Amino acid sequence: MFHMKVIKAKTHKEAGYLAADEFEKVMEKKADCVIGLATGSTPLPFYDELIQREKNRALSFSSVRTVNLDEYVGLEAEDPQSYRYYMQKNLFDHISIKRENILIPNGLEKDKETLCRKYENQIEVWGGIDIQLLGIGHNGHIGFNEPDDFFAVSTHEVKLTEKTRKANQRFFKSPNDVPKSAITVGIGTIMSAKKIVMMAVGGDKAEIIKKAFCGPVTPKIPASILQFHPNVTLICDEAAYMGFY
Ligand code: F6R
């Protein structure tokens, strides 16, 4: 492990609180900062905390720009399983963010190549991501960058592994409803973020945390590349932190 700062939180809720502290620091310095966001179960207390802090006037989203990591291919924005829907319900509907300041891949776009190129361009036009939130998959994926023989650099369409489809099955009515592919930012997009905050909670994440941060950097464990990022804060709850023992 190189530059990484590791913080142990007592609970999932506290992990969300501590992650919100990191974002608040960036938002305080730069009202129109660009923040990278993730979906999944891990960030939920983090989003609750951000909503609360804006209500308490500790921070404001009125000039903030957001970039999401990924979206399923083939789901409408209104589909309760889409990441757009997740973001609306868990964060955007409750804060002062402007619609035009939200960047999330359109899973229905037919021309995926143009979509991906425009996505990267928009991030560049906004001046890059100031702070990126990440969760981690059981196989070490970040965004939907799955284990592979190489690190995919920029935003692209990705076929989901059976492991990931299984892990996400719980959210769908039947296993067949789980989309087969997604659009995700690349490892290069993530590594270009000025600061990265990863949250990892639950004993089921301990093993992958150990592999990703105490083992070799390899595209077989995409999150391991974060060992080369100069400004990563990893926030674990007690169970995930056990991976370091
Ligand atoms: C979601 C994302 C994924 C999740 C990961 C962990 O936008 O990018 O990489 O962060 O699958 O998911 P949870 O938090 O549900 O364990």
Side-chain angles (χ1 to χ4, degrees):
M1 215 186 304
F2 303 108
H3 311 277
M4 194 185 301
K5 186 173 154 194
V6 184
I7 301 178
K8 185 164 78 165
K10 284 210 169 60
T11 59
H12 190 174
K13 191 170 165 27
E14 194 190 19
Y17 185 92
L18 295 171
D21 282 349
E22 300 297 325
F23 279 67
E24 186 175 325
K25 274 184 240 161
V26 174
M27 289 166 71
E28 243 171 24
K29 279 205 196 103
K30 190 177 170 191
D32 64 346
C33 62
V34 179
I35 64 178
L37 301 176
T39 62
S41 22
T42 308
L44 289 172
F46 165 71
Y47 292 139
D48 285 345
E49 186 58 31
L50 290 184
I51 294 165
Q52 221 34 61
R53 287 188 196 193
E54 184 168 61
K55 282 208 170 95
N56 299 340
R57 297 175 194 278
L59 45 79
S60 165
F61 285 92
S62 59
S63 313
V64 168
R65 282 86 56 90
T66 63
V67 177
N68 263 84
L69 285 171
D70 43 19
E71 177 61 287
Y72 286 120
V73 164
L75 300 188
E76 313 246 355
E78 295 74 29
D79 187 314
Q81 303 310 332
S82 77
Y83 286 175
R84 174 70 196 217
Y85 185 92
Y86 169 104
M87 289 309 303
Q88 289 299 140
K89 292 297 154 214
N90 293 306
L91 183 66
F92 299 151
D93 285 350
H94 311 284
I95 57 173
S96 66
I97 190 152
K98 296 190 184 79
R99 226 183 161 74
E100 66 267 27
N101 286 343
I102 295 172
L103 190 63
I104 182 160
N106 174 4
L108 292 181
E109 177 63 55
K110 290 271 170 299
D111 183 354
K112 311 256 171 19
E113 243 170 65
T114 307
L115 167 86
C116 293
R117 206 177 50 241
K118 280 191 177 160
Y119 209 76
E120 289 288 329
N121 279 349
Q122 189 59 57
I123 296 171
E124 214 179 300
V125 167
W126 280 353
I129 295 168
D130 292 299
I131 181 166
Q132 172 71 56
L133 183 82
L134 293 178
I136 183 168
H138 294 113
N139 60 6
H141 73 219
I142 45 178
F144 264 132
N145 292 282
E146 301 283 11
D148 209 330
D149 296 331
F150 58 90
F151 291 109
V153 177
S154 64
T155 304
H156 60 286
E157 182 178 8
V158 68
K159 199 173 166 310
L160 303 184
T161 62
E162 278 317 303
K163 197 168 181 184
T164 296
R165 291 186 74 226
K166 256 212 182 98
N168 290 4
Q169 197 174 300
R170 64 190 193 275
F171 303 113
F172 291 84
K173 273 200 210 91
S174 98
N176 281 341
D177 290 344
V178 187
K180 296 196 168 54
S181 74
I183 304 288
T184 180
V185 299
I187 294 291
T189 327
I190 293 171
M191 289 296 281
S192 302
K194 288 160 202 126
K195 181 176 174 67
I196 292 177
V197 175
M198 174 177 274
M199 286 176 70
V201 298
D204 56 322
K205 294 287 170 74
E207 195 186 330
I208 192 62
I209 285 295
K210 183 183 191 120
K211 282 190 185 150
F213 303 118
C214 305
V217 173
T218 161
K220 299 283 180 216
I221 303 169
S224 65
I225 192 83
L226 298 178
Q227 293 184 36
F228 290 155
H229 192 285
N231 192 355
V232 179
T233 299
L234 171 63
I235 304 173
C236 293
D237 70 349
E238 283 182 349
Y241 190 84
M242 289 310 285
F244 290 113
Y245 289 99

